[in-house]
Amino acid sequence: MAEVIPPRSGVAFELRRGQRLRVVDPEGEQVADLLAYNREDIGEVISSGRSLDYASSIFLSTGDALYSNRSRVMLRIAEDEVGRHDFLLTPCSAEMFRIIYGETQPHRGCFGNLAEALAPWGVRADDIPTAFNVFMNVRVDGDSGKLRVDPPLSRAGDSTTFVAEMDLVIGLTACSAGQSNNFRYKPIHYEILDGG
Ligand SMILES: [Zn+2]
């Protein structure tokens, strides 16, 4: 039975080594920001820079590993029905909505949602790095380096499944940024599956 993350919110939970996390886009074109911390030492955290470096690619999919800042594998992508995710951009935040969207009363975004959800494990806002943005579709012009955020390629019911390679604390959101979900804020579903 899938858990539901309501629109523009986030959750945190523990994921044991060997368990699988299935992230589902129930309605299509929604993004889920994913963070991972070592359950035993939250100073060890998911690292975009190391993961992209070791994969020699900015696009990760089935079989690719999400590394920590200590170069250990935290999660591996076990199954991927979408095949396009982002690992370049930081979680959306009140500051981002101000700077890019010009909003004067901005939502706290995935950043604020993650900070609140992860606080019980001792994670501070300053400990939040670039998230693995499940289903986020960031197009990159290879020559100019220009980025463009397009609607996700995920369709209703599509999922991506990760397997934990260490005991983890996970942060997961239903993204609050209009650009990343075609300006229709939607929920995200997830399931924790044992073994396999
Ligand atoms: Zn977001």
Side-chain angles (χ1 to χ4, degrees):
M1 189 65 188
E3 304 284 335
V4 176
I5 307 175
R8 303 190 105 177
S9 71
V11 297
F13 51 86
E14 296 184 6
L15 189 70
R16 289 194 313 277
R17 181 183 175 155
Q19 284 185 316
R20 287 170 179 247
L21 170 64
R22 183 167 172 257
V23 180
V24 184
D25 183 352
E27 298 179 24
E29 294 190 343
Q30 176 57 309
V31 167
D33 288 20
L34 171 73
L35 290 180
Y37 296 82
N38 179 346
R39 173 70 188 83
E40 303 307 319
D41 177 359
I42 58 102
E44 183 167 18
V45 61
I46 192 169
S47 170
S48 165
R50 292 191 187 278
S51 301
L52 300 185
D53 189 359
Y54 303 152
S56 297
S57 173
I58 58 170
F59 297 129
L60 305 185
S61 186
T62 309
D64 287 324
L66 307 186
Y67 282 88
S68 76
N69 55 333
R70 297 175 192 164
S71 294
R72 300 199 299 161
V73 176
M74 304 188 97
L75 293 157
R76 196 174 292 279
I77 302 174
E79 289 175 60
D80 188 3
E81 295 179 339
V82 178
R84 180 51 52 91
H85 316 280
D86 171 69
F87 211 1
L88 295 173
L89 304 184
T90 52
C92 61
S93 62
E95 293 73 20
M96 188 217 74
F97 289 123
R98 254 186 232 113
I99 292 166
I100 296 184
Y101 293 62
E103 294 181 13
T104 52
Q105 306 252 304
H107 191 272
R108 66 181 184 173
C110 290
F111 186 87
N113 291 331
L114 288 163
E116 180 176 298
L118 288 160
W121 283 273
V123 176
R124 302 163 306 164
D126 285 346
D127 302 325
I128 293 178
T130 299
F132 185 76
N133 301 308
V134 186
F135 312 132
M136 190 175 189
N137 184 15
V138 176
R139 314 302 298 192
V140 181
D141 183 293
D143 291 322
S144 69
K146 285 274 185 198
L147 303 177
R148 191 181 77 235
V149 180
D150 277 0
L153 302 180
S154 48
R155 288 180 291 194
D158 282 350
S159 68
T160 299
T161 302
F162 304 83
V163 59
E165 299 219 350
M166 65 173 76
D167 290 347
L168 298 169
V169 177
I170 297 288
L172 192 65
T173 70
C175 184
S176 309
Q179 267 191 351
S180 68
N181 52 38
N182 213 5
F183 296 91
R184 208 162 67 73
Y185 307 104
K186 286 158 283 192
I188 283 289
H189 293 181
Y190 69 95
E191 283 181 292
I192 297 173
L193 308 160
D194 283 321

